Amino acid sequence: MNSRRFKQVDVFAFEALKGNPLAVVLEGLGLSDAQMQDFARWTNLSETTFLLPPTDPEADYRLRIFTPGGELPFAGHPTLGSCHAWLEAGGVPKASGQVVQQCGVGLVTIRQDGPRLAFAAPPVVSAEVEPSLLEAVAQGLGLTVADVLAARWLPLGPKWLCLRLASAGKVLSLEPDHGALSALGVDIGVVGFHPEGSEALYEVRAFTPLVGVVEDPVTGSLNAALAHWLAADGLVPTSYVAAQGTRLGRAGRVYITRDGETLWVGGASRTCIDGRLSL
């Protein structure tokens, strides 16, 4: 058993303990898949990451991302939080002003965005949702199909089944039947727009039974997927802020910017625990 550097990082919030926590093992080399999964299950966070030497010469580091239920090829808050931890621990990127992460989806570019980090979101190919599944999901959320303005499959890391509702208030009022949603075996994202002039453009909630977490506080991959979808439908400007975690007492803020063909998804990170663990 070795002593390894470890950080716990709060992602997507400027205020302490108001974002989404992430466990980061900075020295993942030598751990087996089973050890990584066991540790992720033990932390019981939505994601736990392991930093490793890259195998691609263009990458600065390699990242493996585990939930309590399994490994993900990509996720947003682990990308930002792990990059923050890597830089804070003395990581020096190959190219000035950007970090290149190697993970299950390939190479992901991360840039400094003022006081925040932002990742270049991978593309997403949307698909229609089967009517019978949509009806079952709506029922599990306490809705009718008529309450759903639009629905799409948006695979980006997790395979998100996303619903757009009439308002942020409708999103915040949801009282899901988590047992029913878990039985469906899908991860669900819900979005609704705030009134004009609000700080955030829209409100997001993520119900993640496949991850092993009832509701994820702030979700980078979901926000990236939603930003792609809503932009394609002409519903959002090129730069805005999304809110998530409100019903959980969090203050998650996700900063979305479209720069040409690139969608940047950013947020603040801060280290809450910095030490060592035996693993």
Side-chain angles (χ1 to χ4, degrees):
M1 187 172 293
N2 295 323
S3 176
R4 300 171 186 272
R5 289 185 297 168
F6 168 81
K7 292 179 185 284
Q8 190 153 316
V9 181
D10 198 25
V11 187
F12 284 128
F14 285 105
E15 188 179 349
L17 309 180
K18 293 295 185 180
N20 197 356
L22 171 73
V24 185
V25 178
L26 282 88
E27 297 165 338
L29 194 63
L31 292 172
S32 67
D33 291 4
Q35 286 175 307
M36 292 182 184
Q37 184 61 73
D38 283 347
F39 186 60
R41 194 176 295 114
W42 179 80
T43 67
N44 201 35
L45 298 174
S46 56
E47 280 101 2
T48 297
T49 64
F50 300 85
L51 287 161
L52 299 157
T55 58
D56 189 308
E58 295 183 29
D60 292 299
Y61 59 80
R62 183 162 63 97
L63 192 69
R64 295 188 67 181
I65 305 167
F66 285 80
T67 75
E71 186 172 7
L72 294 176
F74 172 79
H77 108 273
T79 292
L80 297 182
S82 299
C83 182
H84 167 85
W86 182 78
L87 290 169
E88 190 176 67
V92 179
K94 292 180 172 71
S96 178
Q98 72 172 34
V99 175
V100 178
Q101 171 183 290
Q102 179 186 358
C103 58
V105 296
L107 299 181
V108 176
T109 301
I110 305 160
R111 71 177 185 183
Q112 193 79 36
D113 185 18
R116 305 178 295 269
L117 294 171
F119 65 84
V124 63
V125 178
S126 68
E128 293 185 4
V129 178
E130 305 89 325
S132 59
L133 179 58
L134 176 58
E135 183 175 1
V137 168
Q139 185 175 358
L141 292 170
L143 302 169
T144 68
V145 172
D147 293 318
V148 180
L149 300 185
R152 299 295 290 179
W153 281 112
L154 298 171
L156 205 166
K159 186 179 180 183
W160 293 105
L161 192 161
C162 295
L163 311 180
R164 181 163 62 88
L165 305 185
S167 68
K170 189 71 172 177
V171 172
L172 289 169
S173 71
L174 293 175
E175 298 285 355
D177 180 340
H178 293 293
L181 295 182
S182 182
L184 294 174
V186 295
D187 288 328
I188 300 161
V190 188
V191 61
F193 283 81
H194 280 284
E196 187 174 351
S198 300
E199 175 211 357
L201 184 64
Y202 52 69
E203 190 75 30
V204 176
R205 292 180 73 181
F207 305 109
T208 50
L210 294 184
V211 169
V213 176
V214 169
E215 181 170 355
D216 195 37
V218 201
T219 317
S221 62
L222 172 59
N223 274 278
L226 290 171
H228 278 308
W229 178 35
L230 298 173
D233 286 355
L235 297 175
V236 294
T238 57
S239 183
Y240 61 91
V241 180
Q244 190 179 349
T246 307
R247 272 294 302 269
L248 299 176
R250 311 294 175 87
R253 295 295 182 268
V254 182
Y255 294 78
I256 309 291
T257 302
R258 185 170 294 278
D259 183 5
E261 295 298 313
T262 304
L263 178 72
W264 294 96
V265 179
S269 296
R270 66 167 63 211
T271 299
C272 297
I273 299 173
D274 190 344
R276 305 190 72 87
L277 60 88
S278 294
L279 187 64

